[in-house]
Structures are given as structure tokens and as C-alpha cells.
Amino acid sequence: MGEKNYSYFKRDTSWLSFNYRVLMEADDASLPIYERIRFLSIYASNLEEFYEVRVSEHRGDIIKKNYIDESAETSEERLENITREVNRQQQDFYRIFNEGILPGLRKQNIYLYQDSEPKEFHRSFVQNYFNEEVFPFLSPVTIQKGVKTFIRDRRLYLIVSMRNKVTKDPYYVLIKIPFLKAPRFIPLPSHEGMYYYMFVDDVIRVNLPVIFPGYDVEGCYSIKISRDADIYVDDKSVGDAKKFVNEIKTKVGKRKIGALSRFMYDRAMPEDMLEYVCEALGITGDDLIVGGRYMNLQDLVKLPNPVGNKLERAIPPPMRSPFLDEAGSIFNAIMRRDVLLHFPYQSFDYLLRFLMEAAFEPDVEEIKITQYRVAENSAVINSLISAAKNGKKATVFVELKARFDEENNVSAAERMEQAGIKIFYSIPGLKVHAKVAVIWRKGESRNLAYLSTGNFNEKTARIYSDMALLTSDEGIIEDVNSLFSALERRHTRPDFKRLLVARFNMIPEIMRMIAREIEHVKQGRRGYLILKMNGLHDKQMIDALYEASENGVEIDLIIRGICCLVPNQPYSKNIRITRIVDVFLEHSRIWYFYNDGAEDLYLASADWMRRNLNRRIETAFPILSPDIRQEIIGILNIQLQDNTKACMIDEHLNNIFKRNGKPPVRAQQAIYEYIKKRNASG
């Protein structure tokens, strides 16, 4: 492509723009109040993980003086920019909570206390609840300079300032809120038609004189910290699978004591108190993030709803597929034609039926499947165990390095091994993010495959928007077999004819198809791309899109999260970026290449992030059925027409709603109706 004066958004700044878009949903007064609360909770949870991983990584770079990036920006500058933006967003977060959520609850006769003093008709209840349910589990610790005090991450603490009533000596005391022993929101007796709830934090605050009878309490403030939650395992040095599993278990156990990445404090805390606490706990100014009276507000998702469904989002039930239901056998249906499934618009039950049919059908010899994020008590795992018990060979590739799911994946893998399933673990230096399964059958029976944009996880399938293909196409199945041969270390250079596989042929093929669109334009024909992904970060890919735009190729990007491509520049004037945030998490990856009307279409497990394209095994699979291809193109067009939940991303990373004056289109609702109509027509 050559060196050109292209510009790129910073990855972290772009992610913060996405998370702010989530916060915008919490600020939408047209949504049911508990839906707004859910988005407020998601925003807080997202930010927690961001500090545990990305910010921790930058702090590690500072310690190691390891400034490796495509820009000249240092890790110190990144952290300054992150802190500045997060502090700005926190102001909006607490504004929405105090001026939007709390009044919205009161309109529904739900009162969430926002002060330490309960009303007179609740005082005896709060006192008794504290004595019986909270006080026995408190362990106050005096904060002293020179004395180490360990603070757990993801836990909420109160710091109390007080003086001895006799000596007047000052003390600062740390109290961990016993979240395992008491709910965050305590339901109080209803009164005159109002439902009352109180933070357990405030139940403790109002009873501080009971905890410290010989002291005058002067103030009480919330704090919390985030720690480095990433797991650094040199899997290249761990040749033995069992040793690697043990290493993962050990590292997961140490996650709780990782390096500090954020110290969040109540903005009302006096400056001298903050200075003392920081010095005593070893907190630096770079660690500080301003918070409010209440933290860990991802807990808001646990706020009881005493009124019922009218205060929550209305989610239509997953649809059935008449074609699959009438066929009876999933296998017979797939042999008649390829089948596309849309989750969560359609039932995840069809994947479970597919695996269960494989477990019992006499002709089935072997099942092979990848597992990236395993659900707890997974029905998918149960189906595989049933297959093994029925004498089928079962091979599962389990990625142990799936962040925050390591323990679950290890547990599931050990359970499958005990049932006789052959387990392959992580490949050194790589993550396997592909989502594929293949069913091998005897004799003349056709083999079958399942390929998806999302995980084999029945829980996330209820809230993640994904697509999956069930096929008996021999070319695709041959490629899936080659992929498993590579995962099982039997082939180092497999030859893929239909699948695009990261680290093998994915990048060259994407580049070829983009170059083909450029060539069509040069020949006087139309060049057009629609690329739907969760993230776009890889500089090589962005440069290819910039060059395509410069040559007249029209490009629509539908990107939920990180997008480092800068629109509205001379070299990106033909590129539009759409971001959709709604009830379901947009998770499917779809790559559309117009190709002079031939319309090549791929579904993929991969985003165009550096990690996905260079440090993972990912798959993109072609949609060969003309009918299914048109169905997916129809869905892409619906998303591009969304003028309700869709935002355009501008050159300043602002989320600008697509309010175009046309009849309202809310893509997720419209897609549900679109699939329903296609089901009805067969």
C-alpha cells in the first residue's frame, strides 16, 4: 500500500466512545426504567473489565518501559487520556443515576434511599436487620501508615473517619461490605403504596455508632479498586497439557492479588483524608478515579422489581423454524439444503438437537467441536458426554486462555475427559477462537458441519446476536477437517479451499477481495463493501479500506465496538461507520463484497483486530446458498436503515444518532419481523 499520511483513532479512546454509547441508552427516557438500569449496569461492568485488562496492560508497560505501539504516544500519555475521558463520563453516569434513574423509579412508587437516615417508620427494621444480618460479618481494620492493608478487587469498602471521644485522637477505619452475606439492596417494608429499598452500604452507615460506640464518626466514604486480571502464561514453555492446566489454575488463583489499576473514591472525601489513605495504601495520583457515594453500580442489575414486566424490556420469544420442525430429523433437513440460524431471534435448541441427534444416530462415528467460552452446566457439554457414553468418538478442542472463562473451561474439559472424550488444549502462542463442529458418519452417509459467528454457549445465545450455518457441503466439510487436523497438530500447513482461516489464508484473501472491488471501479463498474464486525483495529486492514475509498469504492462499516478508522477524511470520504446498541449485543461478523453483482458473502468468528488476524485461529465461511445469501443481505440493509438505535461515528468519535426524518426503523425489532415473515413463507 505504501506509506501514506493516514490517521487512526486510538484503540482505548475508541472503546471508551463505544462504552459511552452504552451509557446513552441509560439516558434514554423512552426506555422502561429497568432497561435503563440494565444499561447503566452494563456500562459499569464494561469499565471494570477495561481497567482490569487494558489499563493494567498500560501500567505494566510503564513498569517495563515497554512502549510498543504504532504511534508515538507513551503509556503514561494513554493513561492520562483515559483518566480524563473516564472522569468526564463518570459525571454523566452519576447525573443519569441521580437525575434520571432515581426519579424514574419514584414515578413507579419505588424509592431507593439516597441518604443514611431511614424514615421513622423504617428505623426499627433497619436496626434489627443490621444487628442480625450485617453486623456479625463486619471486620473493621484501622488504616495506618507503614502497616500493609490488602484490598480485594471488585469489592466495595467504606472508609470511616472518626475521633476517640476521650482523647480526640483521629482514626481512619476500613470496612469491607459483606456482599456474600447480604444483598446489595435491602427490601424494606412497604408504606402507603411505596416500595422501599436501601443500599446495604447505607444500612452500615446509619449504624456506625453501634459499631464504634467510643468514637465520634465524622465521615464515611466509599472506595473500590480494580486489579490486573489478565493472566500471563508462557504457554510456549509448557509442553505437557496437564502442567499447562495446573499453570492456568495457579494463575487464576493469583488474579485476586494482581497489580493495582484503579483506585476509585467518593468525590465527597476530604482532601487531607484522601492524601492520608493514598499514602497508607500505596496509591499514586495516576491510580485515582473520581466516583460518587455509591460504587459497584453494576450491581444495579440486581435491584428488585416489585411492579412487574411493564418496567422491563419486552423480549419476544425465540422463534421456531418450521422447516426444521417439520423435517423431524435435523440431519435430514441439512442434507436437503443449508440452514441458517439466527440467535437469539431463533431458538438455540436446534444446535442442541443437532448434537443430540449425533449422539444417538447409529451412522455417526465421530463428533469434533471447538469450545471457547463454555456455559456453566452446559447442555452442549452434556450432549457430547452422551455421545461418548453411546460409543461415539468425540474430540473437543478447548481454549483455556479465554479470558475470565479459564476456570469454567478447565472444569468442563476435565469433566469431558472423565467421560472418555479426547481433549486437545490451547496451542502455544495462539488462541483458538473459531466456532466449528463436524459430524463424521459411516459409509455413504453425508458428513455435516456447524459453523458460527458466536460461541457454543446457550446462555450468551439468549442475549448475543449471532448467526450459524448448518451444512453438508463437501468442500466446507473438507476444510473443517483440515482445520481440526491443524488443531490436533497433524498438519502444519493445511490447504483451505473454501474457508478463510486466520494465520493461513484469511488476510491474503481479504486483501484480494478488496483489491478486486478497486479494480471493478477502475473498470467503470461499481465497487461496494459492507463489513459488520465488533472491532476494527488492524492497521493493514484499515489502510486497505482507506485505499479502496480513495479509489471510489463505497464502504459501509457496521461496527459495535472499537473502530480505529477515522471517517470524513479525504482518504475516507466514501466510508460510513454505523454503530448499533440495543437490547441484544450485536456480535455477528458479516463480510459482503459486491463483486460486480456476484455478491460474495462470508460469516466469520473474526473481527479485524490485530489479535484476531495474527494471534488467533479464526474462521470465515462462505454462504453458498443464494437464498440464504439474500436473507443475510436483507438483514444488513435493515441495519443500515436503522434510524432509532443506530449512530454514525464522526471524526471526533462522537455517537451521532441517525435521525433522518424517515419512518422509524429499529433494526433488531425489524430483523425479528423479517425472519418471522421468511419463516412463514417457507
Side-chain angles (χ1 to χ4, degrees):
M1 300 292 177
E3 288 298 322
K4 297 192 177 182
N5 191 27
Y6 293 149
S7 59
Y8 314 89
F9 289 132
K10 306 299 183 194
R11 171 179 170 168
D12 297 322
T13 311
S14 178
W15 184 88
L16 289 169
S17 167
F18 152 68
N19 206 35
Y20 190 77
R21 173 65 188 90
V22 174
L23 190 59
M24 289 165 66
E25 287 297 285
D27 204 18
D28 184 352
S30 71
L31 295 178
I33 188 65
Y34 276 81
E35 177 72 350
R36 297 176 66 187
I37 288 172
R38 187 178 74 93
F39 278 108
L40 207 63
S41 173
I42 292 170
Y43 170 88
S45 179
N46 287 347
L47 195 60
E48 183 80 31
E49 184 173 325
F50 178 74
Y51 271 88
E52 290 177 337
V53 179
R54 285 295 296 174
V55 173
S56 294
E57 183 180 320
H58 295 326
R59 293 195 186 284
D61 286 344
I62 291 171
I63 293 170
K64 294 178 289 187
K65 298 298 179 186
N66 177 28
Y67 304 145
I68 300 175
D69 194 69
E70 69 271 14
S71 73
E73 185 186 42
T74 67
S75 292
E76 287 100 333
E77 290 170 334
R78 288 195 204 105
L79 288 179
E80 288 175 5
N81 291 332
I82 288 169
T83 299
R84 187 182 308 112
E85 176 60 17
V86 170
N87 280 333
R88 184 192 72 80
Q89 292 187 12
Q90 287 294 300
Q91 293 179 2
D92 280 347
F93 180 93
Y94 285 105
R95 172 188 59 78
I96 293 167
F97 178 65
N98 290 310
E99 299 176 14
I101 301 301
L102 295 176
L105 287 170
R106 285 195 287 271
K107 285 181 181 178
Q108 303 298 331
N109 295 326
I110 301 169
Y111 189 94
L112 180 59
Y113 273 99
Q114 292 298 289
D115 51 60
S116 297
E117 287 297 327
K119 299 185 184 300
E120 188 170 343
F121 49 81
H122 283 142
R123 285 177 187 167
S124 62
F125 177 89
V126 170
Q127 182 69 58
N128 291 334
Y129 187 93
F130 172 79
N131 291 338
E132 298 295 327
E133 305 294 339
V134 180
F135 182 71
F137 306 107
L138 299 180
S139 302
V141 177
T142 302
I143 299 175
Q144 301 177 63
K145 294 180 182 179
V147 178
K148 283 191 175 181
T149 302
F150 182 76
I151 300 180
R152 283 282 305 276
D153 68 323
R154 295 202 172 202
R155 301 292 184 267
L156 193 58
Y157 291 80
L158 299 175
I159 293 185
V160 183
S161 65
M162 58 191 189
R163 290 184 182 274
N164 186 291
K165 287 185 176 181
V166 177
T167 66
K168 304 302 179 183
D169 291 334
Y171 292 91
Y172 296 132
V173 177
L174 187 71
I175 302 176
K176 184 172 79 170
I177 294 177
F179 81 104
L180 288 177
K181 304 298 181 181
R184 184 73 191 278
F185 302 101
I186 311 300
L188 309 182
S190 300
H191 183 77
E192 295 182 353
M194 290 287 289
Y195 301 95
Y196 290 87
Y197 297 93
M198 194 170 188
F199 282 92
V200 68
D201 328 12
D202 284 339
V203 171
I204 295 171
R205 281 186 171 102
V206 77
N207 283 284
L208 288 174
V210 176
I211 307 172
F212 307 110
Y215 296 83
D216 290 321
V217 174
E218 297 181 337
C220 180
Y221 310 95
S222 296
I223 65 162
K224 66 165 290 184
I225 69 165
S226 300
R227 293 189 179 277
D228 185 350
D230 216 351
I231 290 180
Y232 306 97
V233 179
D234 184 9
D235 52 355
K236 294 180 182 179
S237 66
V238 184
D240 181 78
K242 293 196 180 302
K243 286 183 180 178
F244 184 50
V245 170
N246 290 333
E247 179 78 357
I248 288 285
K249 288 180 178 178
T250 301
K251 293 288 186 179
V252 168
K254 291 183 177 179
R255 179 177 269 156
K256 300 171 184 175
I257 57 174
L260 188 78
S261 63
R262 173 174 66 163
F263 180 87
M264 202 169 184
Y265 67 95
D266 185 342
R267 68 180 68 249
M269 186 184 295
E271 190 67 30
D272 58 340
M273 181 177 177
L274 178 62
E275 289 177 4
Y276 181 94
V277 169
C278 287
E279 185 178 348
L281 298 179
I283 309 296
T284 68
D286 293 337
D287 300 322
L288 298 177
I289 293 291
V290 178
R293 177 184 177 92
Y294 304 103
M295 299 182 194
N296 268 19
L297 285 179
Q298 57 264 43
D299 290 345
L300 279 168
V301 75
K302 301 173 185 174
L303 180 67
N305 176 2
V307 176
N309 295 336
K310 71 173 185 176
L311 301 186
E312 298 182 356
R313 55 181 174 159
I315 301 179
M319 284 178 278
R320 305 298 301 176
S321 164
F323 172 70
L324 291 177
D325 288 343
E326 290 167 10
S329 163
I330 298 283
F331 283 16
N332 289 343
I334 302 168
M335 286 187 290
R336 285 167 56 190
R337 64 173 171 83
D338 286 357
V339 176
L340 183 70
L341 294 173
H342 304 270
F343 308 126
Y345 303 103
Q346 290 176 300
S347 175
F348 195 73
D349 166 70
Y350 293 114
L351 169 63
L352 302 179
R353 285 176 55 190
F354 174 69
L355 294 174
M356 195 58 73
E357 192 167 338
F360 286 93
E361 203 213 57
D363 283 349
V364 171
E365 291 185 310
E366 184 172 8
I367 304 171
K368 293 185 177 184
I369 190 170
T370 58
Q371 284 285 290
Y372 187 72
R373 295 194 187 277
V374 182
E376 290 185 38
N377 304 314
S378 169
V380 171
I381 300 301
N382 291 339
S383 298
L384 297 171
I385 290 173
S386 292
K389 289 182 177 179
N390 286 327
K392 316 294 185 186
K393 288 173 63 180
T395 301
V396 181
F397 186 95
V398 180
E399 180 51 74
L400 295 184
K401 302 188 293 288
R403 186 183 292 131
F404 299 115
D405 281 287
E406 301 92 350
E407 285 180 288
N408 229 17
N409 288 7
V410 167
S411 174
E414 291 176 339
R415 184 169 160 238
M416 286 188 287
E417 273 192 308
Q418 290 169 2
I421 294 174
K422 188 175 183 180
I423 301 294
F424 284 89
Y425 288 108
S426 304
I427 295 174
L430 293 174
K431 281 186 180 179
V432 175
H433 195 245
K435 295 90 167 58
V436 294
V438 65
I439 309 296
W440 293 101
R441 303 204 288 171
K442 299 174 185 174
E444 298 299 315
S445 298
R446 282 157 65 187
N447 301 318
L448 308 169
Y450 174 98
L451 305 96
S452 180
T453 66
N455 296 310
F456 293 91
N457 187 313
E458 57 268 33
K459 293 188 178 177
T460 57
R462 298 173 192 161
I463 53 175
Y464 286 19
S465 173
D466 275 303
M467 295 182 182
L469 179 72
L470 290 161
T471 184
S472 61
D473 179 83
E474 292 181 0
I476 289 178
I477 289 168
E478 184 179 336
D479 277 3
V480 173
N481 185 45
S482 296
L483 175 61
F484 275 106
S485 294
L487 297 182
E488 295 166 21
R489 286 68 151 182
R490 291 190 282 117
H491 288 299
T492 55
R493 297 302 304 173
D495 180 26
F496 298 107
K497 295 180 174 59
R498 290 201 166 161
L499 294 188
L500 308 184
V501 182
R503 291 183 58 85
F504 295 100
N505 66 339
M506 182 174 282
I507 291 177
E509 282 299 302
I510 292 172
M511 289 297 191
R512 181 186 66 80
M513 289 187 283
I514 293 174
R516 186 179 62 191
E517 295 301 313
I518 294 174
E519 188 58 31
H520 283 312
V521 174
K522 288 181 177 179
Q523 297 299 323
R525 298 184 291 268
R526 185 189 187 200
Y528 184 45
L529 304 173
I530 307 175
L531 302 170
K532 181 180 186 298
M533 292 173 281
N534 301 321
L536 172 60
H537 174 234
D538 186 87
K539 184 174 179 290
Q540 182 183 9
M541 293 295 157
I542 294 173
D543 286 355
L545 296 177
Y546 282 152
E547 182 171 349
S549 172
E550 287 180 303
N551 281 279
V553 177
E554 293 290 328
I555 303 170
D556 273 304
L557 302 177
I558 306 173
I559 299 181
R560 170 175 54 85
I562 295 166
C563 181
C564 296
L565 183 149
V566 182
N568 303 329
Q569 306 302 304
Y571 44 81
S572 60
K573 64 182 180 181
N574 291 313
I575 303 176
R576 297 162 294 276
I577 308 172
T578 298
R579 171 178 286 154
I580 297 174
V581 173
D582 202 352
V583 173
F584 303 130
L585 181 83
E586 289 293 335
H587 194 252
S588 58
R589 292 90 167 181
I590 309 170
W591 307 341
Y592 168 87
F593 303 86
Y594 180 65
N595 191 20
D596 195 28
E599 297 187 308
D600 290 336
L601 189 75
Y602 287 82
L603 299 182
S605 65
D607 296 312
W608 287 8
M609 306 286 284
R610 278 195 307 227
R611 65 190 182 197
N612 297 86
L613 298 175
N614 298 287
R615 300 194 300 275
R616 293 185 176 185
I617 300 295
E618 304 270 12
T619 54
F621 46 97
I623 299 301
L624 304 175
S625 161
D627 187 56
I628 293 178
R629 190 184 305 129
Q630 289 309 307
E631 181 173 327
I632 296 172
I633 293 170
I635 287 172
L636 288 174
N637 287 328
I638 289 172
Q639 294 202 316
L640 291 173
Q641 293 164 14
D642 187 312
N643 57 8
T644 304
K645 291 299 181 182
C647 285
M648 298 295 291
I649 307 303
D650 72 5
E651 64 273 25
H652 305 295
L653 274 175
N654 294 314
N655 295 279
I656 302 172
F657 279 109
K658 285 186 177 182
R659 303 289 194 245
N660 54 17
K662 296 181 180 179
V665 176
R666 186 171 178 175
Q668 291 186 354
Q669 289 181 352
I671 289 169
Y672 184 90
E673 294 302 322
Y674 176 78
I675 296 169
K676 184 178 178 180
K677 185 176 180 180
R678 287 183 66 88
N679 273 347
S681 66

